[in-house]
Amino acid sequence: GLREASLETVVPRGSSDRVMVVLGEHAGKVGRILQREPERGRALVQLGRDAAPPVLPLPYDSICHYLGGGDDD
């Protein structure tokens, strides 16, 4: 019964913490933050573990701290 406007995503502070994309075409994918751009409210996020994983600039509102299991769990 919560409205979306009442929710806030949490962007991790640690450099090795993982994030999940929660909005947009990459929603549900997990990655890690390579660089933060607080003045723009976004981060460069590397998705997946492929040989050449994509790196995307994503707004903070599109990502959240991911505490789920890893690929090898």
Side-chain angles (χ1 to χ4, degrees):
L2 294 174
R3 296 178 314 159
E4 184 177 336
S6 300
L7 301 174
E8 183 175 336
T9 57
V10 175
V11 178
R13 294 182 186 192
S15 60
S16 63
D17 291 326
R18 294 183 298 162
V19 294
M20 176 179 274
V21 181
V22 294
L23 294 173
E25 73 177 90
H26 299 287
K29 294 190 178 182
V30 176
R32 64 184 180 95
I33 294 177
L34 298 178
Q35 180 180 353
R36 289 170 178 75
E37 298 177 350
E39 66 283 349
R40 292 182 157 181
R42 71 180 187 180
L44 291 177
V45 177
Q46 182 179 36
L47 298 178
R49 295 183 179 187
D50 299 332
V55 175
L56 305 169
L58 296 172
Y60 285 162
D61 287 343
S62 296
I63 58 176
C64 70
H65 196 174
Y66 180 70
L67 300 175
D71 295 340
D72 53 350
D73 291 347

